[in-house]
Amino acid sequence: MPIFRPAALAAAALLSTLLHASATVPARAATTTTAAGEGKVLHMFLSTSEAGLDPAVGSDLASLSLLENLFDPLLRYDYLARPLKLQGNTATALPIVEEGGRSYTFHIRPGIYFTPDPAFKGKQREVTAQDYVYSLTRLYDPALKSPWSFLFDGKLLGDAALKTNFSVDTRIPGLQALDRYTLRIRLTEADNNFLFYMATPATGVVAREVIEAYPGQAGNHPVGTGPFMLGEWKHSDRIVLLKNPASTAVFHGTPGNGPGTSAADGAIGAALEGKTLPRVDRVEVKIAEEFQGRMLGFLNGEYDYLEQVPESMTEMVIQNGKLKPALAARGMELYRFPVLQTYYMWMNMQDPLIGGYGKDKLALRRAIALSYNSAEDIALLKKGFAIKAESPLPPNVLGYDPNYRSPVRYDPALANALLDKYGYARRDPDGFRTQPNGANLTLQMSSEATVSGRLRDELWRKCLNAIGLRVVFKSDKKTEIIKASRLGKVQMFESNWVADFPDGENFYQLLYGPNAGRANYARFNLPAYNERYEQARLLTDGPARQKLYFEMNQLIHAYNPWVPLTQVLSADIRQPWLKNYKRHPVELTQWRYLDVDVAESARTLRAK
């Protein structure tokens, strides 16, 4: 039975009030009904405060959400295509690829201009190929300490010159403006994920005049070419983005009958095809760090959509897997979105109790994997908003096989039989199994010191006790657990991985031997797996790589350094007046594509 504290009771009571008719019309209604003077307004929130708005530096989710609307990389994702597909953004199309994947030639659309700034001295400033040379070179600037330098460090031909004595004027063969609108990038070796890098906010184009006009303060003076420009900005409180009047972006996407699209996608594509972007005139963004405030604001009509309903509040808006009738009656819609994220419990392969590659240790880890009750996890802890992880790859990642099924299922009877067979049959006076030599067998699982962490502990205690294994939990802050994990001092821990880019390599590297001590917390180091990983990373997505991924999955299930747990289905809710909404697996916002039916918004809010 859940325990409600006074604050939770108050929130529940207010939510209950908002679920039913209300005589109060929120402040949002005034903005909507007087929108004639300011056009269509999109109302959004960010869950954390933004840091700075310099593409080379911003790395927090709030800043990235704003950056991808203010600055333009060469490429962008097709909004509707699933599987994911890249297309030209400021580039006229995908680049010409030569030299076995080591040379990329981009042609930039003429007529793209930076938004006005005093640094341009009253003149229009057109984007050129040299601006991209400058913008990418900045990532190497040691003064910036860019968190994105890894994307290119050691990969651009001749970039050692940028690292020995940095200057933005240093020319290297890997970055060349061949003419005003032609950019050539050359790599030291082929990189199958290179084009994904060219669609990240970090590679958005900036103007040298602006950067130099505000030394050390570029993040406070964002001047880009994106669909929006900065209107108002009150740090950590409120941001207003205005439609960029110079925007020449036109929507061209997957046709309504294209692969991976639905009837709803077809309708969005038809509504947007050939239209200039963005579709709204301004975006008003609030910083709303408390999830209760976000939920209440959305239900009160202050925000146009809500992504990832907090698990602790799911039952307040969702009933039997569906939106509560009172909300559905108001025209809201619920979506289940597969986030590019995998939750897994890893086991330290170098730990003396649980690690190693012998049959007895393999049987112990296999038994632990067989004890995990995914159905109970998904139903009770994830409230139905998750799917069982069959492999490291979540849906929508290149390389994901929707037909693959793990051979390791929930089977406590088989787990008990395995332990009996491989030396763990003896029990101590409390009924728990001992090691094959009769020594104490107590597993230690690290866990987060949170309410959610304690719930996870109880699930694992129940699963492991059912097969005779004693487990104790060591709670700490996640940051401290990760530090200890990298040093090899943690035996078992639940973790998760969110894709940096939508390719299988980003997940399979988590078990690559040379990555032990970094992202490979399990310290798994199996030559057969390493060899297949190295072969797969040289291949593009296709049958040959798919075969290697299948074999890597089988090795993971054979040696069990991981127990793959779940892949989240985010509960997202849309207001009835919001049009063209489709959450993207990689891009953080859809603001440029979204439209608002002002009349419907006014009617809905008046009827509340």
Side-chain angles (χ1 to χ4, degrees):
M1 174 181 294
I3 299 173
F4 291 100
R5 292 180 169 80
L9 284 170
L14 185 51
L15 281 167
S16 177
T17 300
L18 292 170
L19 290 175
H20 297 85
S22 170
T24 303
V25 178
R28 157 66 185 256
T31 303
T32 304
T33 55
T34 60
E38 55 188 18
K40 296 179 180 179
V41 183
L42 188 66
H43 293 82
M44 302 307 309
F45 68 82
L46 294 173
S47 58
T48 59
S49 298
E50 78 290 355
L53 299 181
D54 180 348
V57 178
S59 61
D60 59 282
L61 292 178
S63 296
L64 292 172
S65 296
L66 296 166
L67 287 167
E68 70 181 19
N69 288 284
L70 295 168
F71 295 89
D72 270 325
L74 288 160
L75 304 179
R76 184 165 296 284
Y77 291 92
D78 184 316
Y79 181 40
L80 301 175
R82 308 292 188 272
L84 298 173
K85 183 172 71 174
L86 289 168
Q87 59 184 15
N89 185 38
T90 54
T92 57
L94 295 180
I96 298 169
V97 183
E98 299 171 302
E99 298 179 17
R102 290 182 288 111
S103 176
Y104 295 81
T105 303
F106 296 87
H107 294 287
I108 297 167
R109 283 189 292 114
I112 299 173
Y113 294 92
F114 289 101
T115 55
D117 189 85
F120 301 134
K121 300 179 180 179
K123 298 179 181 179
Q124 269 196 316
R125 175 64 160 77
E126 188 182 28
V127 173
T128 68
Q130 185 57 42
D131 291 318
Y132 276 102
V133 171
Y134 172 78
S135 301
L136 297 178
T137 300
R138 282 188 76 227
L139 298 177
Y140 287 83
D141 187 346
L144 290 179
K145 295 182 173 60
S146 173
W148 303 104
S149 61
F150 77 94
L151 294 176
F152 301 101
D153 189 5
K155 299 177 184 179
L156 295 184
L157 191 64
D159 72 354
L162 295 173
K163 293 182 286 185
T164 54
N165 187 19
F166 177 81
S167 168
V168 291
D169 294 312
T170 299
R171 297 289 174 257
I172 63 171
L175 273 178
Q176 295 178 317
L178 302 184
D179 57 41
R180 185 172 180 83
Y181 302 115
T182 306
L183 173 72
R184 185 172 69 183
I185 300 178
R186 298 172 66 192
L187 307 180
T188 55
E189 61 182 26
D191 184 338
N192 290 323
N193 291 308
F194 172 72
L195 291 183
F196 291 130
Y197 308 157
M198 305 313 295
T200 62
T203 61
V205 66
V206 299
R208 181 171 183 171
E209 302 97 305
V210 174
I211 302 300
E212 294 182 348
Y214 309 104
Q217 295 295 317
N220 293 323
H221 298 273
V223 177
T225 64
F228 295 100
M229 61 184 187
L230 189 65
E232 303 171 33
W233 186 8
K234 186 177 180 181
H235 280 277
S236 304
D237 181 25
R238 182 173 183 267
I239 304 103
V240 175
L241 303 183
L242 304 177
K243 180 178 181 178
N244 180 0
S247 176
T248 59
V250 176
F251 180 85
H252 295 294
T254 297
N257 59 353
T261 61
S262 63
D265 295 339
I268 294 173
L272 288 173
E273 186 62 31
K275 301 285 181 62
T276 57
L277 302 176
R279 303 305 300 154
V280 298
D281 297 286
R282 57 193 279 137
V283 183
E284 296 187 359
V285 185
K286 293 181 181 179
I287 305 301
E289 296 185 339
E290 295 294 330
F291 64 78
Q292 290 181 351
R294 300 197 294 268
M295 178 72 83
L296 296 173
F298 173 78
L299 293 174
N300 203 32
E302 296 171 19
Y303 306 122
D304 293 318
Y305 65 79
L306 173 71
E307 291 182 343
Q308 202 138 357
V309 173
E311 292 172 11
S312 61
M313 304 189 80
T314 300
E315 293 176 356
M316 295 179 179
V317 293
I318 296 169
Q319 181 179 327
N320 299 324
K322 297 180 180 180
L323 205 59
K324 283 197 169 183
L327 299 180
R330 287 167 54 181
M332 296 181 184
E333 291 189 40
L334 172 69
Y335 301 83
R336 286 175 170 80
F337 177 78
V339 183
L340 298 190
Q341 181 179 32
T342 294
Y343 282 82
Y344 57 97
M345 193 275 285
W346 56 264
M347 292 173 273
N348 186 346
M349 295 292 288
Q350 294 178 353
D351 181 82
L353 180 63
I354 205 171
Y357 296 82
K359 290 183 178 180
D360 58 333
K361 300 302 178 68
L362 190 155
L364 177 58
R365 293 194 302 274
R366 174 71 60 82
I368 291 170
L370 289 166
S371 78
Y372 167 64
N373 190 337
S374 61
E376 184 172 339
D377 187 358
I378 292 169
L380 298 183
L381 300 188
K382 297 295 185 185
K383 308 298 183 184
F385 284 86
I387 59 175
K388 184 181 185 301
E390 303 290 346
S391 78
L393 297 192
N396 289 323
V397 167
L398 292 175
Y400 171 75
D401 181 357
N403 298 314
Y404 182 82
R405 294 293 179 269
S406 167
V408 182
R409 315 299 291 177
Y410 172 56
D411 192 339
L414 178 57
N416 276 307
L418 269 175
L419 292 172
D420 288 345
K421 181 176 180 179
Y422 286 96
Y424 300 93
R426 284 188 286 182
R427 306 273 183 144
D428 65 18
D430 295 322
F432 290 108
R433 296 180 184 274
T434 67
Q435 295 184 56
N437 62 5
N440 175 271
L441 171 55
T442 299
L443 303 175
Q444 183 181 89
M445 183 179 290
S446 294
S447 69
E448 294 185 62
T450 62
V451 173
S452 176
R454 288 191 287 273
L455 291 173
R456 306 296 309 169
D457 294 350
E458 290 311 307
L459 174 68
W460 275 111
R461 191 190 310 278
K462 179 180 178 181
C463 292
L464 294 171
N465 287 177
I467 60 171
L469 294 177
R470 178 191 285 111
V471 60
V472 297
F473 298 93
K474 182 181 180 182
S475 295
D476 205 342
K477 293 180 179 179
K478 186 172 183 178
T479 52
E480 296 303 314
I481 298 172
I482 295 301
K483 287 179 185 177
S485 299
R486 288 174 175 158
L487 297 173
K489 295 181 179 180
V490 174
Q491 187 181 91
M492 313 163 67
F493 180 54
E494 276 195 12
S495 191
N496 71 88
W497 188 263
V498 183
D500 297 308
F501 49 87
D503 188 82
E505 180 191 337
N506 195 230
F507 286 85
Y508 285 114
Q509 58 91 18
L510 297 171
L511 287 162
Y512 180 51
N515 284 346
R518 292 182 288 181
N520 181 359
Y521 300 132
R523 297 176 171 258
F524 184 57
N525 192 8
L526 185 72
Y529 181 94
N530 296 341
E531 290 166 7
R532 286 164 174 78
Y533 172 80
E534 290 165 357
Q535 294 170 28
R537 70 187 306 183
L538 299 177
L539 301 174
T540 56
D541 190 38
R545 194 174 75 156
Q546 199 76 41
K547 179 176 181 293
L548 290 169
Y549 279 1
F550 175 86
E551 293 171 357
M552 290 158 70
N553 288 339
Q554 294 291 292
L555 290 170
I556 294 169
H557 296 310
Y559 287 89
N560 297 283
W562 276 20
V563 180
L565 304 177
T566 58
Q567 282 137 358
V568 172
L569 293 174
S570 174
D572 305 336
I573 310 177
R574 174 185 69 84
Q575 299 283 12
W577 56 77
L578 185 67
K579 309 303 177 185
N580 306 332
Y581 174 80
K582 182 181 177 68
R583 189 167 171 185
H584 195 273
V586 176
E587 292 185 340
L588 299 173
T589 67
Q590 307 83 18
W591 301 346
R592 71 188 66 209
Y593 309 108
L594 299 180
D595 207 342
V596 175
D597 186 325
V598 175
E600 185 172 357
S601 173
R603 284 194 305 270
T604 303
L605 291 169
R606 280 197 301 268
K608 273 185 71 277

